[in-house]
Amino acid sequence: MGKPSLLKEVLKWFIGRPVTIQYPYEETPIENRFRGRHFADLNKCTGCSLCAIECPADAITMEKLPEEVSVPKNPRRIYPVISYGKCVYCYRCVTVCPFDAYITTNDYKITGPARLYSRDYSLQSVGGGAQ
Amino acid sequence: MAVDKVIEIPVSLEVPIGPQHPALHEPVMLKVYAEGEEVVKVEVNTGYNHRGIEKLVEKNSFYRNIFIVSRVCGICNIVHSNAYVRAVEQVMGIEPPGRAKYLRVLAMELERIHSHMIINAIMAEVLGYDTLFMYIMRDREKVMKAKEILTGNRVLGDYLMVGGVRRDLSEVDRERIKDVLIKLEPEVRKYIRVFEEDETIGKRLRGVGVVKPKDVTLHGLVGPTARGSGVNIDARREGYDAYGEVPFNIIVRSDMDSWSRMMVRWHETIESINMCKYVLENLPSDGPAVPDETKLPRKFPVGEAFTRVEAPRGELTYYVMSDGRQNPWRVKIRTPSFNNIINSGFSYIGYTIADVPVILTSYDPCISCMERAIVTDLRRGEKKYVRFKDLNRGLK
């Protein structure tokens, strides 16, 4: 590579903005269809457990619904709880669900001790759970 | 007492390189025996990253396994799932529509572009050319974005399913991916020029790690390693998925050294960019690319299938055997790195210790792909490597 083209490159980046993103202060650009945090919408979930059976990472467990929560159609009163630490975000549960009960987001900020499970997100969909 | 005999012992030094070493990005151990600076023998020791995937696959259902085999290797995850999915499709007798086949080719070629770019970046870093490493990684990020648009994730695509792909490509996204590729091509051509004309790169790579065509066939090396030595092998020639319809050239160079292997990768990157553009322009719409996952068959016939795919590192083969139950009876994976790394000990001999990381990087090692079983007899304290043939018969 000759020197003039190198000089051009140096000048270009001397004036231009840096490529790196100052992450906590600046948002990383992310696609709308990025496979991020997802949880069951209890208005649609029937507790059929198909997602728990089909999950390749065994990240979904079926739990009993709390007494005070009322759901439209869930005779066994169980709902899926995703462990985000185990989940590999393949969205198999989303596509395999016969009732399209999963709500998908492109939220990728899932580290940290709070909200490691989808329990609260799911319960909020029917007006329950911790806010 | 007078001295009447002098015993001269040739000193050979054993230098363990790895499994944790700044020059290696993979957990492999090269036991290098050197006389002075010259390497006289190299033992390749693996086993630091064994996860037992083949056994895990036998314990899970056919559909769950698509995601498990994707995790064999991080960088070439789509080719792994492609080989497995095509094997399952052969067992079940399903043929995906043309649009799905073209989208599979697009995903695999995007993967090849970023895999070749990362190994060239790592090569620049191993040579001590960190600026070039940063530049290539910056441009690789564009391809990762294209992959994110297509599959929904930067690295682990999880894009394939039996009978098609898991998400379709809209017109807007098609234009965006095409735009990324158009912007990427001049950058890649610039790096080719750097690799061709830079003095430091030439001095470190040319004439280092020479692998003759005879050695390639003798040791069963595959992929860009073989093509860099003038051996024209490429599994894409078989025409699986849409490779029979997408025009492409097989890059073969006859310099036989590390530089030649890196240049094969760069020119393949250009070739892959052209293939992606062709796919995006000629995407057929002959049927739904995304089948309904809830309606896939739940019963699996008895049968077996053997598929091969050209992964970025070479030929990857899958053997899937079904005995009619929900889980496969056996899935055998043979990855390209298994051939390229374990069999390549001969090629380090005669070069200096400083050349060892360069030669290893020029083979594009992927250690998590190639871990195999070591059996330790606890009573006798013996260790031995076991071939699959013997493992099938049972351990003694």
Side-chain angles (χ1 to χ4, degrees), chain B residues 64-232:
Chain B
R64 280 166 62 136
N65 284 339
I66 299 169
F67 307 100
I68 295 169
V69 295
S70 295
R71 268 86 187 158
V72 171
C73 173
I75 287 182
C76 34
N77 58 78
I78 289 180
V79 283
H80 272 274
S81 47
N82 184 285
Y84 175 78
V85 163
R86 279 197 302 120
V88 175
E89 280 170 358
Q90 278 181 26
V91 170
M92 294 165 76
I94 296 175
E95 181 75 14
R99 188 180 176 85
K101 286 180 176 179
Y102 269 67
L103 286 171
R104 284 178 182 185
V105 169
L106 176 64
M108 283 192 284
E109 290 307 315
L110 285 176
E111 195 169 81
R112 194 182 314 278
I113 295 169
H114 87 73
S115 171
H116 283 350
M117 284 183 87
I118 196 173
I119 196 62
N120 278 297
I122 288 171
M123 180 55 105
E125 197 203 4
V126 165
L127 299 175
Y129 201 162
D130 278 344
T131 319
L132 186 59
F133 168 76
M134 295 288 179
Y135 273 113
I136 300 176
M137 290 303 268
R138 179 196 71 196
D139 290 327
R140 177 180 175 262
E141 207 54 37
K142 292 174 187 161
V143 193
M144 308 308 282
K145 192 73 191 172
K147 220 181 148 193
E148 190 187 317
I149 294 166
L150 179 68
T151 66
N153 207 325
R154 282 175 75 254
V155 182
L156 285 163
D158 287 334
Y159 191 54
L160 281 89
M161 62 186 280
V162 173
V165 290
R166 287 171 68 81
R167 52 170 72 191
D168 207 352
L169 188 65
S170 68
E171 285 298 317
V172 179
D173 289 344
R174 194 155 96 174
E175 290 305 316
R176 286 176 70 202
I177 295 176
K178 208 192 275 181
D179 193 43
V180 167
L181 293 168
I182 288 168
K183 278 183 188 158
L184 184 72
E185 195 173 339
E187 302 291 334
V188 173
R189 291 202 186 275
K190 194 169 79 187
Y191 297 131
I192 292 177
R193 236 185 109 198
V194 172
F195 266 71
E196 274 172 354
E197 293 176 14
D198 190 86
E199 239 178 85
T200 326
I201 291 179
K203 277 185 180 167
R204 286 301 304 275
L205 294 184
R206 286 187 204 228
V208 172
V210 173
V211 179
K212 298 210 168 85
K214 188 187 154 200
D215 293 330
V216 169
T217 44
L218 192 66
H219 296 276
L221 308 185
V222 288
T225 309
R227 292 196 286 275
S229 296
V231 180
N232 191 346

Side-chain angles (χ1 to χ4, degrees), chain B residues 375 384-396:
Chain B
V375 177
K384 60 178 178 183
Y385 287 88
V386 179
R387 293 182 302 167
F388 284 110
K389 215 160 76 180
D390 304 331
L391 208 60
N392 278 349
R393 288 181 199 141
L395 289 172
K396 282 169 197 158

Side-chain angles (χ1 to χ4, degrees), chain A residues 106-122:
Chain A
N106 66 347
D107 182 12
Y108 60 95
K109 289 176 243 173
I110 45 168
T111 50
R115 302 278 169 100
L116 269 176
Y117 295 91
S118 71
R119 198 174 289 120
D120 287 344
Y121 293 99
S122 286

